[in-house]
Amino acid sequence: DVVIGLHVRHGDKVQEEAPRIELDEYVKAVRESVKGGKRLKGVFLATDSQAVVRELEQKLPDVVLLVNRRESRNSAIAFSLFKDTYSVNITQYAIDTITNLLLLRDCDSFVGTFSSNFGRLGYELQITKGDNRMVAPPISLDFPWYADPSSKP
C-alpha cells in the first residue's frame, strides 16, 4: 500500500510565477506513480487552494485523501497581499508549512512541480530518510530537479 505526497500550487504562484497545471495532470501522475502491482492507499495533499481539496476529492473518490482541513489557505490571493493585510496568522501559517513538509517527507513518493521551492524541499526531505522507501521516482509536472540523486547524468 502506497501513500503519495502531492503538492499542488494553484494560488499565488499561478498569479505571480508560473503557468497553471490542471489538476487532471496531477491525478494522472499520481496514478502513474503506483504502477506495477502497488495499491494506492492514500494521497497526502499539500496545497494553497481550498478548491483543490474539493476538486481532488471528486477526482480521486476511491482514494483516502489526507489533508489538514483546518489549515488556512490563501485561495488565489497573492501571499504578499495576504500577509500585508494581516488576514493570516503568520505563526500558524509557518507551523502548517513545516507540518506539510514533514508529512510529505513521510510519503512513499512525490508528485508536484520542481519550479516550486516547497515541492523540491518536500522531495529532498524524502530522500534524506535514507531508508530507500520511495516506491517510484518523483514526478515533476514542470521541470526536473537536477540535484535528484536517483538520476544519472
Side-chain angles (χ1 to χ4, degrees):
D1 290 355
V2 176
V3 176
I4 301 298
L6 175 62
H7 177 234
V8 179
R9 290 282 301 272
H10 276 190
D12 64 319
K13 180 178 177 121
V14 173
Q15 290 183 359
E16 297 179 345
E17 300 172 26
R20 177 187 178 98
I21 297 172
E22 294 303 318
L23 195 55
D24 286 337
E25 293 298 313
Y26 288 94
V27 170
K28 180 181 171 188
V30 165
R31 297 260 188 227
E32 284 177 9
S33 67
V34 291
K35 289 181 179 175
K38 301 173 192 88
R39 186 176 83 81
L40 182 58
K41 178 179 179 180
V43 171
F44 170 69
L45 174 63
T47 186
D48 57 354
S49 170
Q50 194 60 41
V52 167
V53 175
R54 290 188 300 270
E55 192 177 343
L56 196 62
E57 287 173 325
Q58 294 173 356
K59 292 184 180 293
L60 291 172
D62 57 322
V63 175
V64 175
L65 183 62
L66 308 164
V67 63
N68 179 357
R69 296 184 187 279
R70 295 176 302 183
E71 180 180 348
S72 176
R73 293 183 172 83
N74 60 358
S75 299
I77 299 171
F79 184 75
S80 55
L81 178 62
F82 196 52
K83 176 180 66 76
D84 293 343
T85 60
Y86 302 100
S87 58
V88 65
N89 177 330
I90 295 296
T91 302
Q92 187 59 52
Y93 197 87
I95 290 168
D96 290 342
T97 298
I98 293 166
T99 300
N100 281 332
L101 285 168
L102 293 175
L103 290 169
L104 282 172
R105 175 199 64 196
D106 290 339
C107 293
D108 299 307
S109 192
F110 175 82
V111 172
T113 57
F114 285 162
S115 65
S116 165
N117 293 322
F118 187 96
R120 286 193 316 272
L121 182 55
Y123 167 64
E124 289 168 346
L125 288 170
Q126 281 185 342
I127 60 176
T128 64
K129 293 184 299 184
D131 60 4
N132 296 321
R133 250 191 32 179
M134 291 191 72
V135 298
I139 297 176
S140 172
L141 296 173
D142 56 6
F143 63 81
W145 180 229
Y146 296 107
D148 178 359
S150 69
S151 66
K152 307 246 187 287

